[in-house]
Amino acid sequence: MKRTSVGLLVVLAILAGAAGFVLDHMLTAMGRTTFTPSLLLPVLLLLIAAASLAVAWPVRSSVRNGVRIDPFRATRAVTLARASSLVGAIMAGFGAGLLVFLLTRPIDPPVGSTVAMLALIGSAIVLAVAALIAEQFCILPKDPDDSEPRDRAGDPGPAELGGGH
């Protein structure tokens, strides 16, 4: 499994930012109020960041101590970390798009909406960074058995080369 690239996260943030901007623009064009996320959303994102790190920490500890870990546990931890980084990038971009729309309007934005957007962006960035760190925790050392191919068809073995009398 490849590590999550920062470029992918940036692209997702840009696309989500455009979606947030367009959503608010469409809402105001239809005469509705702009979208303001709940203040509980940033708290939820921070809890997901803590959970991602907490799930990855035992994997890191076992790798450092040389204790064998269940590969499925490491896979679950890295999957949670990867999903969390993607969600963090999307939410940061979406919040940024909403904030840009509010700041480009001719009227001053409500303070509550601005604070909610800034809290969303900040917690989403924390989530993405924590998830990338958790993904780093889940890098397992290579097995010595994996470095050598087991059965190479067509390659002569040591006995066929005359080495085994």
Side-chain angles (χ1 to χ4, degrees):
M1 177 182 255
K2 292 182 182 178
R3 293 183 56 194
T4 305
S5 71
V6 176
L8 173 66
L9 298 179
V10 169
V11 168
L12 285 175
I14 290 171
L15 291 174
F21 187 89
V22 168
L23 173 72
D24 259 358
H25 181 70
M26 287 176 37
L27 286 174
T28 56
M30 292 188 308
R32 297 185 177 175
T33 60
T34 59
F35 179 76
T36 303
S38 169
L39 285 176
L40 292 178
L41 182 59
V43 173
L44 177 64
L45 294 178
L46 292 175
L47 288 174
I48 294 171
S52 182
L53 286 171
V55 168
W57 186 260
V59 176
R60 179 183 183 267
S61 297
S62 67
V63 168
R64 285 200 164 192
N65 295 335
V67 177
R68 178 153 166 72
I69 188 163
D70 180 22
F72 291 111
R73 184 177 185 177
T75 302
R76 287 182 201 113
V78 77
T79 302
L80 175 64
R82 185 171 191 148
S84 297
S85 66
L86 297 176
V87 167
I90 290 169
M91 294 307 293
F94 188 74
L98 295 175
L99 182 64
V100 166
F101 181 79
L102 280 180
L103 295 177
T104 56
R105 293 178 63 192
I107 58 171
D108 290 332
V111 174
S113 294
T114 306
V115 168
M117 304 298 173
L118 290 174
L120 174 63
I121 295 167
S123 63
I125 290 171
V126 168
L127 173 61
V129 170
L132 290 175
I133 292 170
E135 189 175 346
Q136 179 69 29
F137 285 172
C138 295
I139 294 177
L140 299 176
K142 236 182 174 175
D143 278 343
D145 297 340
D146 290 344
S147 62
E148 299 175 14
R150 292 188 180 149
D151 184 25
R152 295 185 295 184
D155 287 347
E160 295 173 18
L161 290 175
H165 290 310

